Amino acid sequence: METITLEKAQADLAELVRRLAPGEGVTIVEDGRPVARLVAPLIAPRSEPRPRPPVTGAPKAGLYEGRLVVPDDFKEPLEELREYME
């Protein structure tokens, strides 16, 4: 694993990242002590964007009208909890 000073890493970060091969790393040192390790991912980034999935159609408003019925006592407490509500 290559070792590089913090100052050099700051100055050449873009080039440093580009030249790393997948899984390869660089140790960054400051005053002779390792302070960070930069490691490239094992999977190389894609050069072309991911294809979009096919569009199957947009949902239409009102498609489920009448299928969901809200009872009139929806906001009333449940019988099991009635004793706690009083």
Side-chain angles (χ1 to χ4, degrees):
M1 189 174 284
E2 182 183 352
T3 303
I4 190 170
T5 65
L6 181 60
E7 294 79 20
K8 179 112 172 95
Q10 285 176 331
D12 301 330
L13 183 61
E15 192 242 313
L16 182 64
V17 169
R18 271 191 233 104
R19 77 170 192 228
L20 284 176
E24 185 180 306
V26 173
T27 301
I28 300 172
V29 296
E30 183 177 33
D31 298 328
R33 292 180 315 129
V35 293
R37 182 172 297 141
L38 184 63
V39 180
L42 291 176
I43 300 171
R46 293 175 176 240
S47 58
E48 72 259 357
R50 217 174 203 183
R52 290 187 60 178
V55 178
T56 56
K60 306 247 186 294
L63 188 63
Y64 292 102
E65 185 177 357
R67 292 188 185 183
L68 177 65
V69 179
V70 179
D72 294 333
D73 64 345
F74 179 73
K75 292 185 178 181
E76 296 297 318
L78 297 173
E79 287 299 320
E80 300 90 39
L81 301 176
R82 189 168 298 281
E83 68 182 271
Y84 299 107
M85 299 298 289
E86 296 173 351

